[in-house]
Coordinates of all heavy atoms in Angstrom, one line a residue:
I1 N 0.9 -1.2 0.0 CA 0.0 0.0 0.0 C 0.9 1.2 0.0 O 1.7 1.4 0.9 CB -0.9 0.0 1.2 CG1 -1.8 -1.2 1.2 CG2 -1.7 1.3 1.3 CD1 -2.7 -1.3 2.5
L2 N 0.8 2.0 -1.0 CA 1.5 3.3 -1.1 C 0.5 4.4 -1.3 O 0.0 4.7 -2.4 CB 2.5 3.2 -2.4 CG 3.4 4.4 -2.5 CD1 4.3 4.7 -1.3 CD2 4.2 4.3 -3.8
P3 N 0.2 5.1 -0.1 CA -0.8 6.1 -0.2 C -0.4 7.4 -0.8 O 0.8 7.8 -0.7 CB -1.2 6.3 1.3 CG 0.1 6.0 2.0 CD 0.8 4.9 1.2
L4 N -1.3 8.1 -1.4 CA -1.1 9.5 -1.9 C -1.6 10.5 -0.8 O -1.2 11.6 -0.8 CB -1.9 9.7 -3.2 CG -1.4 8.9 -4.4 CD1 -2.3 9.3 -5.6 CD2 0.1 9.3 -4.7
S5 N -2.6 10.0 0.0 CA -3.1 10.9 1.0 C -3.4 10.0 2.2 O -3.6 8.8 2.1 CB -4.3 11.6 0.6 OG -5.3 10.7 0.1
L6 N -3.5 10.6 3.4 CA -3.8 9.8 4.6 C -4.4 10.8 5.6 O -4.2 12.0 5.6 CB -2.7 9.1 5.2 CG -1.5 9.8 5.8 CD1 -1.7 10.2 7.2 CD2 -0.2 8.9 5.7
A7 N -5.2 10.2 6.5 CA -5.8 10.9 7.6 C -6.0 9.9 8.8 O -6.3 8.7 8.6 CB -7.2 11.5 7.2
F8 N -5.8 10.4 10.0 CA -6.0 9.7 11.2 C -7.4 10.0 11.8 O -7.8 11.2 11.8 CB -4.9 10.0 12.2 CG -3.6 9.5 11.8 CD1 -2.7 10.3 11.2 CD2 -3.2 8.2 12.1 CE1 -1.5 9.9 10.8 CE2 -1.9 7.8 11.7 CZ -1.1 8.6 11.0
S9 N -8.1 9.0 12.3 CA -9.4 9.2 13.0 C -9.1 10.0 14.3 O -8.0 9.9 14.8 CB -10.1 7.9 13.2 OG -9.3 7.1 14.2
P10 N -10.2 10.7 14.7 CA -10.0 11.5 16.0 C -9.5 10.7 17.2 O -8.8 11.2 18.0 CB -11.4 12.1 16.2 CG -12.0 12.1 14.9 CD -11.5 10.9 14.2
D11 N -9.9 9.4 17.3 CA -9.5 8.6 18.4 C -8.2 7.8 18.1 O -7.8 7.0 18.9 CB -10.6 7.6 18.8 CG -11.0 6.6 17.7 OD1 -10.3 6.6 16.6 OD2 -11.9 5.8 17.8
A12 N -7.6 8.1 17.0 CA -6.3 7.5 16.6 C -6.4 5.9 16.5 O -5.3 5.3 16.6 CB -5.2 7.9 17.5
R13 N -7.6 5.4 16.2 CA -7.7 3.9 16.1 C -7.6 3.5 14.6 O -7.2 2.4 14.3 CB -9.0 3.5 16.6 CG -9.0 3.6 18.2 CD -10.4 3.2 18.7 NE -10.8 1.9 18.3 CZ -12.0 1.4 18.5 NH1 -12.9 2.1 19.1 NH2 -12.3 0.2 18.1
L14 N -7.9 4.4 13.7 CA -7.9 4.1 12.3 C -7.0 5.1 11.5 O -6.9 6.3 11.9 CB -9.3 4.2 11.7 CG -10.4 3.2 12.1 CD1 -11.7 3.5 11.5 CD2 -9.9 1.8 11.7
V15 N -6.5 4.7 10.4 CA -5.9 5.6 9.4 C -6.5 5.2 8.1 O -6.8 4.1 7.8 CB -4.3 5.4 9.4 CG1 -3.9 4.1 8.9 CG2 -3.7 6.5 8.5
A16 N -6.9 6.3 7.4 CA -7.4 6.2 6.0 C -6.3 6.5 5.0 O -5.6 7.5 5.2 CB -8.6 7.1 5.8
L17 N -6.1 5.6 4.0 CA -5.0 5.7 3.1 C -5.7 5.8 1.7 O -6.3 4.9 1.2 CB -4.1 4.5 3.1 CG -3.5 4.2 4.5 CD1 -2.8 2.8 4.4 CD2 -2.6 5.2 4.9
G18 N -5.5 7.0 1.0 CA -6.0 7.2 -0.3 C -5.0 6.8 -1.4 O -3.8 7.1 -1.3
Q19 N -5.5 6.1 -2.4 CA -4.6 5.5 -3.4 C -4.7 6.1 -4.7 O -5.7 6.8 -5.0 CB -5.0 4.0 -3.5 CG -4.9 3.2 -2.2 CD -3.5 3.1 -1.7 OE1 -2.6 2.5 -2.4 NE2 -3.3 3.6 -0.6
A20 N -3.7 5.9 -5.6 CA -3.7 6.4 -6.9 C -4.8 5.8 -7.8 O -5.3 6.5 -8.7 CB -2.4 6.2 -7.6
D21 N -5.3 4.6 -7.5 CA -6.3 3.9 -8.3 C -7.7 4.3 -7.8 O -8.7 3.7 -8.3 CB -6.1 2.4 -8.2 CG -6.3 1.8 -6.8 OD1 -6.6 2.6 -5.9 OD2 -6.1 0.6 -6.7
G22 N -7.9 5.2 -6.9 CA -9.2 5.7 -6.5 C -9.7 4.9 -5.2 O -10.8 5.3 -4.8
Q23 N -9.0 4.0 -4.7 CA -9.5 3.2 -3.6 C -9.0 3.9 -2.3 O -8.0 4.6 -2.3 CB -9.0 1.8 -3.6 CG -9.6 1.0 -4.7 CD -9.3 -0.5 -4.5 OE1 -9.7 -1.1 -3.6 NE2 -8.4 -1.0 -5.4
I24 N -9.7 3.6 -1.2 CA -9.3 4.1 0.1 C -9.3 2.9 1.0 O -10.3 2.1 1.1 CB -10.3 5.1 0.7 CG1 -10.4 6.3 -0.2 CG2 -9.9 5.5 2.1 CD1 -11.6 7.2 0.0
F25 N -8.2 2.7 1.7 CA -8.1 1.6 2.7 C -8.2 2.2 4.1 O -7.5 3.2 4.4 CB -6.7 0.8 2.6 CG -6.6 0.1 1.3 CD1 -5.7 0.6 0.3 CD2 -7.3 -1.0 1.0 CE1 -5.5 0.0 -0.9 CE2 -7.2 -1.7 -0.2 CZ -6.3 -1.2 -1.2
L26 N -9.0 1.5 4.9 CA -9.1 1.9 6.4 C -8.3 0.8 7.1 O -8.6 -0.4 7.0 CB -10.5 1.9 6.8 CG -11.4 3.0 6.3 CD1 -12.8 2.9 6.8 CD2 -10.9 4.4 6.6
V27 N -7.3 1.2 7.9 CA -6.4 0.3 8.6 C -6.5 0.5 10.1 O -6.5 1.7 10.5 CB -4.9 0.5 8.1 CG1 -4.0 -0.4 8.9 CG2 -4.8 0.3 6.6
D28 N -6.8 -0.5 10.8 CA -6.8 -0.5 12.3 C -5.4 -0.4 12.8 O -4.5 -1.2 12.5 CB -7.4 -1.8 12.8 CG -7.6 -1.8 14.3 OD1 -6.7 -1.4 15.0 OD2 -8.7 -2.3 14.7
L29 N -5.1 0.7 13.5 CA -3.7 0.9 13.9 C -3.3 0.0 15.1 O -2.1 0.0 15.4 CB -3.5 2.4 14.3 CG -3.6 3.3 13.1 CD1 -3.6 4.8 13.6 CD2 -2.4 3.1 12.2
R30 N -4.2 -0.7 15.7 CA -3.8 -1.6 16.8 C -3.3 -3.0 16.2 O -2.4 -3.6 16.7 CB -5.0 -1.9 17.7 CG -5.4 -0.6 18.5 CD -6.6 -0.8 19.2 NE -7.7 -1.0 18.2 CZ -9.0 -1.2 18.4 NH1 -9.4 -1.1 19.7 NH2 -9.8 -1.3 17.5
T31 N -4.0 -3.4 15.1 CA -3.6 -4.7 14.5 C -2.9 -4.6 13.1 O -2.4 -5.5 12.6 CB -4.9 -5.5 14.3 OG1 -5.7 -4.8 13.3 CG2 -5.7 -5.7 15.6
F32 N -2.9 -3.4 12.6 CA -2.4 -3.1 11.2 C -3.1 -3.9 10.1 O -2.5 -4.2 9.1 CB -0.9 -3.3 11.2 CG -0.2 -2.3 12.1 CD1 0.4 -2.7 13.3 CD2 0.0 -1.0 11.8 CE1 1.0 -1.8 14.2 CE2 0.6 -0.1 12.6 CZ 1.1 -0.5 13.8
Q33 N -4.3 -4.2 10.4 CA -5.1 -5.0 9.4 C -6.0 -4.0 8.6 O -6.6 -3.0 9.2 CB -6.0 -6.0 10.1 CG -5.2 -7.1 10.8 CD -4.4 -8.0 9.8 OE1 -4.9 -8.4 8.8 NE2 -3.2 -8.2 10.1
V34 N -6.2 -4.2 7.3 CA -7.2 -3.5 6.6 C -8.6 -3.9 7.0 O -8.9 -5.1 6.9 CB -7.0 -3.7 5.0 CG1 -8.1 -3.0 4.3 CG2 -5.6 -3.2 4.6
V35 N -9.4 -3.0 7.5 CA -10.7 -3.3 8.0 C -11.8 -3.0 7.0 O -12.9 -3.4 7.1 CB -11.0 -2.7 9.4 CG1 -10.1 -3.2 10.4 CG2 -10.9 -1.2 9.3
A36 N -11.5 -2.1 6.0 CA -12.5 -1.8 4.9 C -11.7 -1.2 3.7 O -10.7 -0.6 3.9 CB -13.5 -0.8 5.5
T37 N -12.3 -1.4 2.6 CA -11.8 -0.8 1.3 C -13.0 -0.1 0.7 O -14.1 -0.6 0.6 CB -11.3 -1.9 0.4 OG1 -10.3 -2.7 1.0 CG2 -10.8 -1.3 -0.9
L38 N -12.8 1.2 0.5 CA -13.8 2.1 -0.1 C -13.5 2.4 -1.5 O -12.3 2.8 -1.8 CB -13.9 3.4 0.7 CG -14.1 3.2 2.2 CD1 -14.0 4.6 2.9 CD2 -15.4 2.5 2.5
S39 N -14.4 2.1 -2.4 CA -14.2 2.4 -3.9 C -15.3 3.3 -4.4 O -16.4 3.2 -4.0 CB -14.2 1.1 -4.7 OG -13.2 0.2 -4.2
G40 N -14.9 4.2 -5.3 CA -15.9 5.1 -5.8 C -15.3 6.2 -6.7 O -15.9 6.8 -7.5
H41 N -14.0 6.6 -6.4 CA -13.4 7.7 -7.2 C -12.8 7.0 -8.5 O -12.4 5.9 -8.5 CB -12.2 8.3 -6.4 CG -12.7 9.2 -5.3 ND1 -13.2 10.4 -5.5 CD2 -12.7 9.0 -3.9 CE1 -13.5 11.0 -4.3 NE2 -13.2 10.1 -3.4
R42 N -12.8 7.8 -9.5 CA -12.3 7.4 -10.8 C -10.9 7.9 -11.1 O -10.4 7.9 -12.2 CB -13.3 7.8 -11.9 CG -14.5 6.9 -11.9 CD -15.5 7.3 -13.0 NE -16.4 8.3 -12.4 CZ -16.8 9.4 -12.9 NH1 -16.3 9.8 -14.1 NH2 -17.6 10.2 -12.2
G43 N -10.3 8.5 -10.0 CA -8.9 9.0 -10.1 C -8.3 8.9 -8.7 O -8.9 8.5 -7.8
A44 N -7.1 9.4 -8.7 CA -6.4 9.4 -7.4 C -7.1 10.1 -6.3 O -7.8 11.1 -6.5 CB -5.0 10.0 -7.6
V45 N -7.0 9.5 -5.1 CA -7.6 10.2 -3.9 C -6.6 11.1 -3.3 O -5.6 10.7 -2.8 CB -8.1 9.1 -2.8 CG1 -8.7 9.8 -1.6 CG2 -9.0 8.1 -3.4
E46 N -6.9 12.4 -3.4 CA -5.9 13.4 -3.0 C -6.1 14.0 -1.6 O -5.2 14.6 -1.1 CB -5.9 14.5 -4.1 CG -5.5 14.1 -5.4 CD -5.5 15.2 -6.5 OE1 -6.4 16.1 -6.4 OE2 -4.6 15.2 -7.3
R47 N -7.3 13.9 -1.1 CA -7.6 14.5 0.2 C -8.5 13.6 1.0 O -9.4 13.0 0.5 CB -8.4 15.9 0.0 CG -7.6 16.9 -0.8 CD -6.6 17.6 0.1 NE -6.0 18.8 -0.6 CZ -4.9 18.8 -1.3 NH1 -4.3 17.6 -1.5 NH2 -4.5 19.8 -1.9
L48 N -8.2 13.5 2.3 CA -9.0 12.8 3.2 C -9.2 13.5 4.5 O -8.2 14.2 5.0 CB -8.3 11.4 3.5 CG -8.2 10.4 2.4 CD1 -7.3 9.3 2.7 CD2 -9.6 9.8 2.1
E49 N -10.4 13.4 5.1 CA -10.6 14.1 6.4 C -11.7 13.3 7.2 O -12.8 13.1 6.6 CB -11.0 15.5 6.2 CG -11.1 16.3 7.5 CD -9.8 16.6 8.1 OE1 -8.8 16.8 7.4 OE2 -9.8 16.6 9.4
F50 N -11.5 13.0 8.4 CA -12.5 12.4 9.3 C -13.3 13.5 9.9 O -12.8 14.6 10.2 CB -11.9 11.6 10.4 CG -11.4 10.2 10.0 CD1 -10.0 10.0 9.6 CD2 -12.2 9.1 10.1 CE1 -9.6 8.8 9.2 CE2 -11.7 7.9 9.7 CZ -10.4 7.7 9.3
S51 N -14.6 13.2 10.1 CA -15.5 14.1 10.9 C -15.0 14.1 12.3 O -14.4 13.1 12.8 CB -16.9 13.7 10.8 OG -17.1 12.4 11.4
P52 N -15.3 15.2 13.1 CA -14.8 15.3 14.5 C -15.3 14.1 15.3 O -14.6 13.7 16.2 CB -15.4 16.6 15.0 CG -15.5 17.4 13.7 CD -15.9 16.4 12.6
D53 N -16.4 13.5 15.0 CA -16.9 12.4 15.8 C -16.4 11.0 15.3 O -16.7 10.0 15.9 CB -18.4 12.4 15.9 CG -19.1 12.2 14.6 OD1 -18.5 12.0 13.6 OD2 -20.4 12.4 14.6
G54 N -15.7 11.0 14.2 CA -15.2 9.8 13.6 C -16.1 8.9 12.9 O -15.8 7.8 12.5
R55 N -17.4 9.4 12.7 CA -18.4 8.5 12.1 C -18.4 8.6 10.6 O -19.0 7.8 9.9 CB -19.8 8.9 12.6 CG -19.9 8.6 14.1 CD -21.3 9.0 14.6 NE -22.4 8.5 13.8 CZ -23.5 9.1 13.7 NH1 -23.8 10.3 14.3 NH2 -24.5 8.6 12.9
F56 N -17.7 9.7 10.0 CA -17.7 9.9 8.6 C -16.3 10.2 8.1 O -15.5 10.7 8.8 CB -18.6 11.0 8.2 CG -20.1 10.8 8.5 CD1 -20.6 11.2 9.7 CD2 -20.9 10.1 7.7 CE1 -21.9 11.0 10.1 CE2 -22.2 9.8 8.0 CZ -22.7 10.3 9.2
L57 N -16.1 9.9 6.8 CA -14.8 10.2 6.2 C -15.2 10.9 4.9 O -16.0 10.5 4.1 CB -14.0 8.9 5.9 CG -12.7 9.1 5.1 CD1 -11.7 9.8 6.0 CD2 -12.2 7.8 4.6
A58 N -14.5 12.1 4.7 CA -14.7 12.8 3.4 C -13.5 12.6 2.6 O -12.3 12.6 3.1 CB -14.9 14.3 3.7
S59 N -13.7 12.4 1.3 CA -12.5 12.2 0.4 C -12.7 13.0 -0.9 O -13.8 13.2 -1.4 CB -12.4 10.7 0.0 OG -13.6 10.2 -0.7
G60 N -11.6 13.6 -1.4 CA -11.6 14.3 -2.6 C -10.7 13.7 -3.6 O -9.6 13.3 -3.3
G61 N -11.2 13.5 -4.8 CA -10.5 12.8 -5.8 C -10.0 13.7 -7.0 O -10.6 14.7 -7.2
Q62 N -9.1 13.2 -7.7 CA -8.5 13.8 -8.9 C -9.6 13.9 -9.9 O -9.5 14.7 -10.9 CB -7.3 13.1 -9.4 CG -6.4 13.9 -10.2 CD -5.1 13.1 -10.5 OE1 -5.2 11.9 -10.9 NE2 -4.0 13.7 -10.4
D63 N -10.6 13.1 -9.8 CA -11.7 13.1 -10.8 C -12.7 14.2 -10.5 O -13.7 14.4 -11.2 CB -12.5 11.7 -10.7 CG -13.1 11.4 -9.4 OD1 -12.9 12.2 -8.4 OD2 -13.7 10.4 -9.2
G64 N -12.4 15.1 -9.5 CA -13.2 16.3 -9.3 C -14.4 16.0 -8.4 O -15.3 16.9 -8.2
T65 N -14.5 14.8 -7.8 CA -15.6 14.5 -6.9 C -15.2 14.5 -5.4 O -14.0 14.3 -5.1 CB -16.2 13.1 -7.2 OG1 -15.2 12.1 -6.9 CG2 -16.7 13.0 -8.6
I66 N -16.2 14.8 -4.6 CA -16.0 14.7 -3.1 C -17.0 13.7 -2.7 O -18.2 13.7 -3.1 CB -16.3 16.0 -2.4 CG1 -15.3 17.1 -2.9 CG2 -16.3 15.9 -0.9 CD1 -15.5 18.5 -2.4
R67 N -16.6 12.7 -1.8 CA -17.5 11.7 -1.4 C -17.5 11.7 0.2 O -16.4 12.0 0.8 CB -17.1 10.3 -1.9 CG -17.2 10.2 -3.4 CD -17.0 8.8 -3.8 NE -17.1 8.7 -5.3 CZ -18.3 8.6 -5.9 NH1 -19.4 8.4 -5.3 NH2 -18.3 8.5 -7.2
I68 N -18.6 11.4 0.7 CA -18.8 11.3 2.2 C -19.1 9.8 2.5 O -20.1 9.3 1.9 CB -19.9 12.2 2.8 CG1 -19.7 13.7 2.3 CG2 -20.0 12.1 4.3 CD1 -18.4 14.3 2.8
W69 N -18.3 9.2 3.3 CA -18.5 7.8 3.6 C -18.9 7.6 5.1 O -18.3 8.2 5.9 CB -17.1 7.1 3.4 CG -16.4 7.3 2.1 CD1 -15.6 8.3 1.8 CD2 -16.6 6.5 0.9 NE1 -15.1 8.2 0.5 CE2 -15.7 7.1 -0.1 CE3 -17.3 5.4 0.6 CZ2 -15.6 6.6 -1.4 CZ3 -17.2 4.9 -0.7 CH2 -16.3 5.5 -1.7
G70 N -19.9 6.8 5.3 CA -20.3 6.4 6.6 C -19.4 5.3 7.0 O -19.1 4.4 6.2
L71 N -18.9 5.3 8.3 CA -17.9 4.3 8.7 C -18.5 3.3 9.7 O -19.4 3.7 10.4 CB -16.7 5.0 9.4 CG -15.9 6.0 8.5 CD1 -14.8 6.6 9.2 CD2 -15.4 5.3 7.2
P72 N -18.0 2.1 9.7 CA -18.5 1.1 10.5 C -18.2 1.4 12.0 O -17.3 2.1 12.3 CB -17.8 -0.2 10.1 CG -16.6 0.2 9.3 CD -16.9 1.6 8.8

């Protein structure tokens, strides 16, 4: 996994890694396991930001879209 962008959740339990292929990996920082893969951008994921409560992730892609993801 070679991220172009990353963001840490407010509780520091997850890191979101944005990829050149448009995917986002959510990694549990306690186990270093990928807990979810988010797909939807048609270009590189350039920006990531968790909501203050950690329930949502916003992503901005090179394709010009912004997506809001509900998190498990």
Side-chain angles (χ1 to χ4, degrees):
I1 299 173
L2 182 60
L4 293 180
S5 55
L6 65 87
F8 292 94
S9 64
D11 62 5
R13 291 176 55 192
L14 293 175
V15 63
L17 305 170
Q19 304 294 300
D21 64 1
Q23 292 189 71
I24 300 165
F25 295 108
L26 294 178
V27 177
D28 184 316
L29 290 172
R30 294 169 297 186
T31 64
F32 297 104
Q33 298 294 314
V34 175
V35 295
T37 302
L38 308 174
S39 300
H41 288 287
R42 286 178 267 133
V45 179
E46 297 180 323
R47 302 279 189 267
L48 293 166
E49 186 71 36
F50 282 91
S51 63
D53 63 7
R55 294 178 50 209
F56 298 95
L57 177 71
S59 60
Q62 201 173 47
D63 60 0
T65 64
I66 296 171
R67 296 190 178 272
I68 307 295
W69 310 88
L71 300 178

